[in-house]
């Protein structure tokens, strides 16, 4: 089943809702549902290749808290995609997150505008976009380096 974000370059495939599961990285779909979010597939396109991710989809994030707060682990191909209903600045905090993360701010057309690598675990600072954005992608720390991410790359 597929769904697109109307008028954006960010396309998504929504996974059906699944049952709750224990904290086990082999059950990623169930884990995201456990925290009341839908899991979707995205592709991060960089100069070194295309990288598939399974991300929790958080529409209209209302505060700067991370959706990763209750998680103890995250696989290298998992993350959280925060999508605004309008183009506006967004800020994300790592407060309560048990591992470092990388944060990417995404334009309406899916273009990566900013890369913030290795935000420390439990960092209370809210990392904000320098300009209005459509979305933010939060993944495990080290991902930006692993996929050679830089401004100008794209999310599909």
């Amino acid at each position: 089943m597929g769904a697109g974000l109307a008028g954006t370059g960010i396309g998504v495939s929504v996974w059906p809702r699944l049952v709750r599961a224990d904290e086990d990285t082999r059950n990623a779909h169930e884990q995201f549902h456990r925290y009341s979010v839908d899991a979707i597939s995205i592709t991060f396109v960089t100069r070194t290749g295309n990288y598939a991710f399974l991300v929790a989809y958080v529409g209209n994030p209302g505060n700067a808290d991370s959706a990763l707060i209750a998680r103890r682990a995250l696989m290298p191909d998992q993350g959280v995609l925060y999508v605004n209903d309008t183009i506006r600045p967004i800020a994300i905090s790592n407060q309560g997150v048990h591992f470092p993360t990388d944060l990417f701010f995404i334009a309406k057309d899916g273009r990566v505008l900013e890369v913030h690598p290795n935000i420390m675990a439990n960092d209370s600072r809210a990392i904000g976009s320098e300009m209005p954005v459509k979305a933010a992608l939060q993944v495990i720390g080290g991902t930006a380096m692993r996929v050679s991410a830089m401004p100008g790359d794209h999310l599909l």
Side-chain angles (χ1 to χ4, degrees):
M1 148 182 6
L5 300 175
T8 73
I10 303 173
V12 298
S13 296
V14 179
W15 289 81
R17 292 194 174 265
L18 299 170
V19 298
R20 292 175 60 124
D22 293 325
E23 187 73 31
D24 184 342
T25 56
R26 293 172 299 173
N27 299 320
H29 308 308
E30 292 89 349
Q31 290 303 313
F32 286 132
H33 178 68
R34 179 178 185 180
Y35 302 110
S36 301
V37 293
D38 288 322
I40 61 170
S41 295
I42 63 168
T43 301
F44 200 141
V45 180
T46 73
R47 68 185 186 284
T48 60
N50 297 350
Y51 301 89
F53 285 84
L54 177 67
V55 298
Y57 176 88
V58 178
N60 299 319
N63 59 40
D65 289 341
S66 170
L68 299 174
I69 288 174
R71 299 210 26 125
R72 296 280 180 209
L74 194 66
M75 298 299 290
D77 62 348
Q78 295 176 340
V80 177
L81 182 66
Y82 305 89
V83 180
N84 292 325
D85 59 349
T86 60
I87 307 302
R88 62 181 174 85
I90 189 172
I92 306 295
S93 168
N94 245 14
Q95 176 108 25
V97 178
H98 301 280
F99 43 85
T101 64
D102 291 349
L103 185 62
F104 306 92
F105 291 112
I106 314 297
K108 182 178 180 179
D109 65 0
R111 194 170 23 95
V112 174
L113 298 176
E114 298 176 40
V115 178
H116 297 270
N118 291 313
I119 301 165
M120 296 305 298
N122 206 33
D123 189 340
S124 61
R125 295 175 302 137
I127 308 296
S129 61
E130 293 181 11
M131 61 191 76
V133 297
K134 180 66 178 174
L137 174 65
Q138 188 177 27
V139 295
I140 192 83
T143 300
M145 181 182 288
R146 178 175 59 88
V147 302
S148 301
M150 60 188 334
D153 291 340
H154 278 82
L155 286 188
L156 303 175

